[in-house]
Amino acid sequence: MAAAPRHLLVVDDEPHIGLLLRPHLEHVGYRVSLARTLGQARDVLADPRTPVDAMLLDLHLPDGSGLDLLRDLRGAAATRSLPIIVLTAEGEDRVLDEAEQLGSALLTKPFSPTKLVARIATLLGDAPPPSPSSRPPGESR
């Protein structure tokens, strides 16, 4: 019996992000929930029937900062190690540094859906390591 597809929660208030990402992510085998607010994200995370395997999180949401949600998730035992990729157009180093210190990966907008899928797969251990040509500068094999 095949394993259930991994469940990704995409938290972004821009409708086109969800419209772009959902079909792309579902095509490669993920199950996707969309949330456009912190409140909706918290509802999805609280539902025990749909455990979330990873989250894609925007920092600028209509009802608050994704950074606040990230802090809350890292402070709770059940979500402390939830894989999170922050998708942001944020350029302020202080904010980006805090997101990284809280254990999230960063991917700046605009981004390639193909690159995002590769990052998700690597984060979840679903894919082989990236090829040497796609490694960040200074990182060795």
Side-chain angles (χ1 to χ4, degrees), residues 86-127:
V86 168
L87 302 177
T88 188
E90 174 66 57
E92 189 176 334
D93 287 341
R94 178 191 61 78
V95 174
L96 298 175
D97 289 346
E98 183 173 357
E100 283 188 305
Q101 288 169 5
L102 288 166
S104 69
L106 296 176
L107 193 58
T108 55
K109 295 177 183 178
F111 56 84
S112 147
T114 304
K115 185 180 278 191
L116 176 62
V117 167
R119 293 284 300 271
I120 293 167
T122 299
L123 199 61
L124 291 173
D126 291 343

Side-chain angles (χ1 to χ4, degrees), residues 42 45-46 55 67-84 102:
R42 290 179 194 283
L45 289 164
M55 180 187 304
L67 202 52
D68 291 335
L69 177 60
L70 183 56
R71 286 185 202 110
D72 292 348
L73 293 172
R74 293 307 186 227
T79 54
R80 188 166 291 134
S81 61
L82 177 69
I84 298 174
L102 288 166

